[in-house]
mmCIF file of all heavy atoms in Angstrom:
data_model
loop_
_atom_site.group_PDB
_atom_site.id
_atom_site.type_symbol
_atom_site.label_atom_id
_atom_site.label_comp_id
_atom_site.label_asym_id
_atom_site.label_seq_id
_atom_site.Cartn_x
_atom_site.Cartn_y
_atom_site.Cartn_z
ATOM 1 N N ARG A 6 6.623 6.666 2.464
ATOM 2 C CA ARG A 6 7.078 5.288 2.430
ATOM 3 C C ARG A 6 8.140 5.037 3.489
ATOM 4 O O ARG A 6 9.058 5.821 3.673
ATOM 5 C CB ARG A 6 7.644 4.946 1.060
ATOM 6 C CG ARG A 6 8.063 3.500 0.973
ATOM 7 C CD ARG A 6 8.520 3.118 -0.378
ATOM 8 N NE ARG A 6 7.451 3.320 -1.325
ATOM 9 C CZ ARG A 6 7.648 3.479 -2.618
ATOM 10 N NH1 ARG A 6 8.844 3.465 -3.104
ATOM 11 N NH2 ARG A 6 6.635 3.657 -3.425
ATOM 12 N N ARG A 7 7.983 3.908 4.178
ATOM 13 C CA ARG A 7 9.005 3.483 5.131
ATOM 14 C C ARG A 7 10.071 2.709 4.372
ATOM 15 O O ARG A 7 9.786 2.060 3.380
ATOM 16 C CB ARG A 7 8.395 2.572 6.196
ATOM 17 C CG ARG A 7 7.390 3.287 7.058
ATOM 18 C CD ARG A 7 6.595 2.299 7.827
ATOM 19 N NE ARG A 7 5.711 1.645 6.846
ATOM 20 C CZ ARG A 7 4.868 0.696 7.107
ATOM 21 N NH1 ARG A 7 4.757 0.236 8.298
ATOM 22 N NH2 ARG A 7 4.111 0.167 6.168
ATOM 23 N N ASP A 9 14.207 2.172 2.746
ATOM 24 C CA ASP A 9 14.997 2.761 1.670
ATOM 25 C C ASP A 9 14.389 2.428 0.321
ATOM 26 O O ASP A 9 13.818 1.371 0.132
ATOM 27 C CB ASP A 9 16.426 2.227 1.734
ATOM 28 C CG ASP A 9 17.149 2.684 2.989
ATOM 29 O OD1 ASP A 9 16.818 3.770 3.490
ATOM 30 O OD2 ASP A 9 18.032 1.945 3.460
ATOM 31 N N ARG A 10 14.546 3.349 -0.609
ATOM 32 C CA ARG A 10 13.977 3.203 -1.935
ATOM 33 C C ARG A 10 15.106 3.204 -2.960
ATOM 34 O O ARG A 10 16.081 3.919 -2.835
ATOM 35 C CB ARG A 10 13.020 4.360 -2.163
ATOM 36 C CG ARG A 10 12.889 4.839 -3.536
ATOM 37 C CD ARG A 10 12.214 6.174 -3.684
ATOM 38 N NE ARG A 10 11.231 6.489 -2.686
ATOM 39 C CZ ARG A 10 9.992 6.879 -2.934
ATOM 40 N NH1 ARG A 10 9.596 6.985 -4.167
ATOM 41 N NH2 ARG A 10 9.170 7.177 -1.980
ATOM 42 N N VAL A 11 14.927 2.394 -4.009
ATOM 43 C CA VAL A 11 15.838 2.377 -5.143
ATOM 44 C C VAL A 11 15.084 2.996 -6.310
ATOM 45 O O VAL A 11 14.005 2.538 -6.677
ATOM 46 C CB VAL A 11 16.277 0.938 -5.505
ATOM 47 C CG1 VAL A 11 17.123 0.935 -6.767
ATOM 48 C CG2 VAL A 11 17.015 0.298 -4.342
ATOM 49 N N MET A 34 8.211 0.183 -13.614
ATOM 50 C CA MET A 34 8.498 0.366 -12.192
ATOM 51 C C MET A 34 9.517 1.499 -12.067
ATOM 52 O O MET A 34 10.651 1.375 -12.529
ATOM 53 C CB MET A 34 9.026 -0.931 -11.574
ATOM 54 C CG MET A 34 9.203 -0.848 -10.081
ATOM 55 S SD MET A 34 9.439 -2.450 -9.280
ATOM 56 C CE MET A 34 10.712 -3.194 -10.260
ATOM 57 N N ASP A 36 10.345 3.187 -9.073
ATOM 58 C CA ASP A 36 11.177 2.962 -7.899
ATOM 59 C C ASP A 36 10.579 1.826 -7.078
ATOM 60 O O ASP A 36 9.435 1.426 -7.285
ATOM 61 C CB ASP A 36 11.372 4.230 -7.058
ATOM 62 C CG ASP A 36 10.108 4.738 -6.392
ATOM 63 O OD1 ASP A 36 9.335 3.919 -5.853
ATOM 64 O OD2 ASP A 36 9.890 5.955 -6.389
ATOM 65 N N VAL A 37 11.385 1.298 -6.167
ATOM 66 C CA VAL A 37 10.948 0.154 -5.365
ATOM 67 C C VAL A 37 11.606 0.216 -3.992
ATOM 68 O O VAL A 37 12.713 0.742 -3.844
ATOM 69 C CB VAL A 37 11.286 -1.179 -6.088
ATOM 70 C CG1 VAL A 37 12.783 -1.412 -6.182
ATOM 71 C CG2 VAL A 37 10.595 -2.359 -5.432
ATOM 72 N N SER A 38 10.902 -0.262 -2.998
ATOM 73 C CA SER A 38 11.464 -0.434 -1.664
ATOM 74 C C SER A 38 11.076 -1.830 -1.201
ATOM 75 O O SER A 38 10.420 -2.583 -1.931
ATOM 76 C CB SER A 38 10.919 0.631 -0.704
ATOM 77 O OG SER A 38 9.578 0.356 -0.365
ATOM 78 N N GLU A 39 11.427 -2.170 -0.001
ATOM 79 C CA GLU A 39 11.078 -3.479 0.536
ATOM 80 C C GLU A 39 9.558 -3.631 0.682
ATOM 81 O O GLU A 39 9.026 -4.727 0.564
ATOM 82 C CB GLU A 39 11.751 -3.669 1.898
ATOM 83 C CG GLU A 39 11.621 -5.061 2.442
ATOM 84 C CD GLU A 39 12.411 -5.243 3.726
ATOM 85 O OE1 GLU A 39 13.442 -4.576 3.907
ATOM 86 O OE2 GLU A 39 11.977 -6.061 4.548
ATOM 87 N N THR A 40 8.865 -2.528 0.890
ATOM 88 C CA THR A 40 7.432 -2.591 1.187
ATOM 89 C C THR A 40 6.517 -2.199 0.040
ATOM 90 O O THR A 40 5.315 -2.421 0.117
ATOM 91 C CB THR A 40 7.100 -1.696 2.391
ATOM 92 O OG1 THR A 40 7.480 -0.353 2.085
ATOM 93 C CG2 THR A 40 7.819 -2.163 3.632
ATOM 94 N N GLY A 41 7.061 -1.607 -1.052
ATOM 95 C CA GLY A 41 6.183 -1.176 -2.137
ATOM 96 C C GLY A 41 6.940 -0.599 -3.310
ATOM 97 O O GLY A 41 8.169 -0.645 -3.363
ATOM 98 N N ALA A 42 6.178 -0.049 -4.270
ATOM 99 C CA ALA A 42 6.785 0.489 -5.486
ATOM 100 C C ALA A 42 5.910 1.582 -6.072
ATOM 101 O O ALA A 42 4.727 1.700 -5.744
ATOM 102 C CB ALA A 42 6.972 -0.628 -6.520
ATOM 103 N N LYS A 43 6.520 2.378 -6.957
ATOM 104 C CA LYS A 43 5.786 3.370 -7.748
ATOM 105 C C LYS A 43 5.815 2.905 -9.190
ATOM 106 O O LYS A 43 6.884 2.605 -9.731
ATOM 107 C CB LYS A 43 6.419 4.759 -7.621
ATOM 108 C CG LYS A 43 5.699 5.807 -8.471
ATOM 109 C CD LYS A 43 6.126 7.228 -8.155
ATOM 110 C CE LYS A 43 7.543 7.510 -8.514
ATOM 111 N NZ LYS A 43 7.901 8.935 -8.397
ATOM 112 N N LEU A 44 4.622 2.828 -9.808
ATOM 113 C CA LEU A 44 4.495 2.334 -11.171
ATOM 114 C C LEU A 44 3.885 3.393 -12.071
ATOM 115 O O LEU A 44 3.002 4.136 -11.639
ATOM 116 C CB LEU A 44 3.577 1.103 -11.208
ATOM 117 C CG LEU A 44 3.881 -0.033 -10.238
ATOM 118 C CD1 LEU A 44 2.788 -1.092 -10.320
ATOM 119 C CD2 LEU A 44 5.241 -0.631 -10.521
ATOM 120 N N LEU A 60 2.164 -7.980 -9.594
ATOM 121 C CA LEU A 60 3.150 -7.222 -10.353
ATOM 122 C C LEU A 60 4.142 -8.253 -10.867
ATOM 123 O O LEU A 60 4.862 -8.884 -10.091
ATOM 124 C CB LEU A 60 3.852 -6.190 -9.465
ATOM 125 C CG LEU A 60 4.978 -5.400 -10.116
ATOM 126 C CD1 LEU A 60 4.452 -4.584 -11.296
ATOM 127 C CD2 LEU A 60 5.656 -4.498 -9.100
ATOM 128 N N ARG A 70 5.282 -10.075 -7.406
ATOM 129 C CA ARG A 70 4.877 -9.669 -6.062
ATOM 130 C C ARG A 70 3.367 -9.480 -6.064
ATOM 131 O O ARG A 70 2.795 -8.990 -7.032
ATOM 132 C CB ARG A 70 5.538 -8.332 -5.655
ATOM 133 C CG ARG A 70 7.037 -8.381 -5.504
ATOM 134 C CD ARG A 70 7.528 -9.356 -4.446
ATOM 135 N NE ARG A 70 7.082 -9.075 -3.105
ATOM 136 C CZ ARG A 70 7.793 -8.461 -2.170
ATOM 137 N NH1 ARG A 70 8.994 -8.026 -2.451
ATOM 138 N NH2 ARG A 70 7.295 -8.274 -0.973
ATOM 139 N N CYS A 72 0.308 -7.396 -4.794
ATOM 140 C CA CYS A 72 0.239 -5.981 -4.433
ATOM 141 C C CYS A 72 -1.175 -5.556 -4.072
ATOM 142 O O CYS A 72 -2.148 -6.191 -4.478
ATOM 143 C CB CYS A 72 0.678 -5.114 -5.613
ATOM 144 S SG CYS A 72 2.322 -5.443 -6.223
ATOM 145 N N GLU A 73 -1.249 -4.433 -3.363
ATOM 146 C CA GLU A 73 -2.514 -3.735 -3.163
ATOM 147 C C GLU A 73 -2.273 -2.269 -3.492
ATOM 148 O O GLU A 73 -1.183 -1.745 -3.285
ATOM 149 C CB GLU A 73 -3.039 -3.899 -1.737
ATOM 150 C CG GLU A 73 -2.179 -3.253 -0.675
ATOM 151 C CD GLU A 73 -2.713 -3.441 0.729
ATOM 152 O OE1 GLU A 73 -3.805 -4.008 0.892
ATOM 153 O OE2 GLU A 73 -2.021 -3.019 1.664
ATOM 154 N N ALA A 75 -2.124 1.618 -3.204
ATOM 155 C CA ALA A 75 -1.945 2.577 -2.117
ATOM 156 C C ALA A 75 -2.455 3.958 -2.519
ATOM 157 O O ALA A 75 -3.124 4.622 -1.737
ATOM 158 C CB ALA A 75 -0.469 2.655 -1.716
ATOM 159 N N GLY A 83 0.892 4.014 -6.655
ATOM 160 C CA GLY A 83 1.746 3.477 -5.615
ATOM 161 C C GLY A 83 1.141 2.167 -5.148
ATOM 162 O O GLY A 83 -0.083 2.041 -5.044
ATOM 163 N N VAL A 84 1.983 1.169 -4.920
ATOM 164 C CA VAL A 84 1.490 -0.128 -4.462
ATOM 165 C C VAL A 84 2.244 -0.556 -3.210
ATOM 166 O O VAL A 84 3.414 -0.213 -3.018
ATOM 167 C CB VAL A 84 1.639 -1.219 -5.554
ATOM 168 C CG1 VAL A 84 0.830 -0.862 -6.788
ATOM 169 C CG2 VAL A 84 3.088 -1.459 -5.926
ATOM 170 N N ASN A 85 1.537 -1.260 -2.354
ATOM 171 C CA ASN A 85 2.144 -1.910 -1.196
ATOM 172 C C ASN A 85 2.265 -3.383 -1.508
ATOM 173 O O ASN A 85 1.335 -3.981 -2.061
ATOM 174 C CB ASN A 85 1.269 -1.737 0.053
ATOM 175 C CG ASN A 85 1.170 -0.308 0.485
ATOM 176 O OD1 ASN A 85 2.147 0.438 0.449
ATOM 177 N ND2 ASN A 85 -0.015 0.111 0.870
ATOM 178 N N PHE A 86 3.408 -3.979 -1.179
ATOM 179 C CA PHE A 86 3.584 -5.409 -1.379
ATOM 180 C C PHE A 86 2.928 -6.150 -0.228
ATOM 181 O O PHE A 86 3.079 -5.765 0.939
ATOM 182 C CB PHE A 86 5.064 -5.773 -1.448
ATOM 183 C CG PHE A 86 5.793 -5.173 -2.617
ATOM 184 C CD1 PHE A 86 7.079 -4.708 -2.475
ATOM 185 C CD2 PHE A 86 5.195 -5.083 -3.867
ATOM 186 C CE1 PHE A 86 7.769 -4.166 -3.546
ATOM 187 C CE2 PHE A 86 5.866 -4.537 -4.954
ATOM 188 C CZ PHE A 86 7.159 -4.087 -4.786
ATOM 189 N N LEU A 87 2.193 -7.201 -0.550
ATOM 190 C CA LEU A 87 1.571 -8.037 0.466
ATOM 191 C C LEU A 87 2.513 -9.188 0.787
ATOM 192 O O LEU A 87 3.065 -9.809 -0.119
ATOM 193 C CB LEU A 87 0.226 -8.582 -0.047
ATOM 194 C CG LEU A 87 -0.820 -7.516 -0.353
ATOM 195 C CD1 LEU A 87 -2.050 -8.147 -0.984
ATOM 196 C CD2 LEU A 87 -1.200 -6.761 0.905
#
Side-chain angles (χ1 to χ4, degrees):
R6 183 176 300 158
R7 295 166 288 179
D9 294 331
R10 148 194 330 232
V11 175
M34 186 166 50
D36 67 43
V37 67
S38 74
E39 189 175 330
T40 59
K43 178 169 66 171
L44 309 174
L60 176 61
R70 294 300 299 261
C72 302
E73 66 181 356
V84 299
N85 295 320
F86 296 141
L87 297 174

